[in-house]
Amino acid sequence: MSIERNRTALSIEKEHTRELTVMKFGGASLENAAAISHAALLVRNEYRWGRPTVLVLSAMRNVTDMLEKLCESTEPFEDLMEKHNAVLRSLNLSDAQKFLVQQELNSTYHEAIRNALLAQRYGVENPTTALEYRDRVLSCGERLVVRLFTAALRANDVPAQTIDSSEIIQTDNTFGEAIPDLQTSFNRTVKKINPLIQQIIVPVITGFVGSTVDGRITTLGRNTSDYSATLIGRFLGAKQIILWKEVNGLYDKNPNAYEDALFIDEATFKKVAEMNSKVIHKKAFEPLYKTDIVVFIKNVKNPNGIGTKLTDEPSGSITLFQLKQRMQETGGVPRVWRIYKADLF
Ligand code: ASP
Ligand code: MG
């Protein structure tokens, strides 16, 4: 490591807990080669500004569903392999680099198929064991995409390292809906991830996945990669967590179905958890209460939009609930609504 890089690393060591951003990309934001390279450019931007960033990813769109089907029947596996191989082919890497990543993908494909066969075999006589094999299969979606994303970052000259969250998130053995052990997971996350941040390497971590005390892979429940991101953000003392989605932020109801849906520019974790929004898993708020971590829900296709800002306590600016109250009082359309309506259509 050069002296210059060392020096920067030292100053980041002091600063990083205050400055750290955790970014989570969902399956829709990673649906194909173009989406992945777009997401990688967003990360490169952060890196170039010298902002310490940790990534948490969920599987490519539909992949977890495909893996679920693979456990139940004989879902053809070729589509799933091609989905990932196509991303690899698109990356600006040497043949030798591609070969190495392809090897990693291949061994994960084999693992998925082998465990899916075991899940099917145990399905009838021993459903508990089948669930365990099923978790190993489902975890493959995240484990494939982090390898591709790490390669995409490296292709963009961003030093990055793949992390399987089974190494850091320890859970009980409720396969399919495992509950993290917070203390052990905290210790492991800090020990594993902080040195990477200090060396200015971007960790690319699987969401959704953990492992039991004796190292068997678990999953935290469908759609829990937001939860993985908030857990990791909490453990690392992140300043902010950006949940990249395909929508501008949260609305009080579905903006595609209701013309009068209101954009939520800012709200508390508690209020949004009560809304039971489809955009963000309820569990994701658990690690955030009583912290000053700020969560932004932003549109990956509109990265400069302000998104929805979520905090434990309301800050000075207007919340959805104040906004509604104001509308009722005045019968008028508040400014924030006009701004976001324009943004939407
Ligand atoms: N890939 C997992 C699922 O589809 C986790 C997630 O997307 O949040 O359930
Ligand atoms: Mg998913």
Side-chain angles (χ1 to χ4, degrees), residues 70-71 111-126 129-134 136-137:
L70 188 72
C71 293
E111 206 181 314
I113 294 170
R114 203 172 51 241
N115 287 301
L117 289 172
L118 287 164
Q120 283 168 29
R121 182 185 304 166
Y122 284 101
V124 190
E125 71 216 43
N126 194 342
T129 309
L131 264 186
E132 185 176 336
Y133 286 114
R134 189 172 171 275
R136 289 190 204 168
V137 178

Side-chain angles (χ1 to χ4, degrees), residues 91-103:
L91 297 177
N92 183 21
L93 293 171
S94 68
D95 286 350
Q97 287 167 319
K98 279 189 187 170
F99 176 77
L100 291 176
V101 182
Q102 187 69 61
Q103 302 276 82

Side-chain angles (χ1 to χ4, degrees), residues 162-178:
T162 294
I163 304 286
D164 278 322
S165 53
S166 53
E167 292 176 49
I168 56 174
I169 304 295
Q170 188 181 297
T171 68
D172 67 2
N173 53 7
T174 323
F175 294 98
E177 200 91 38

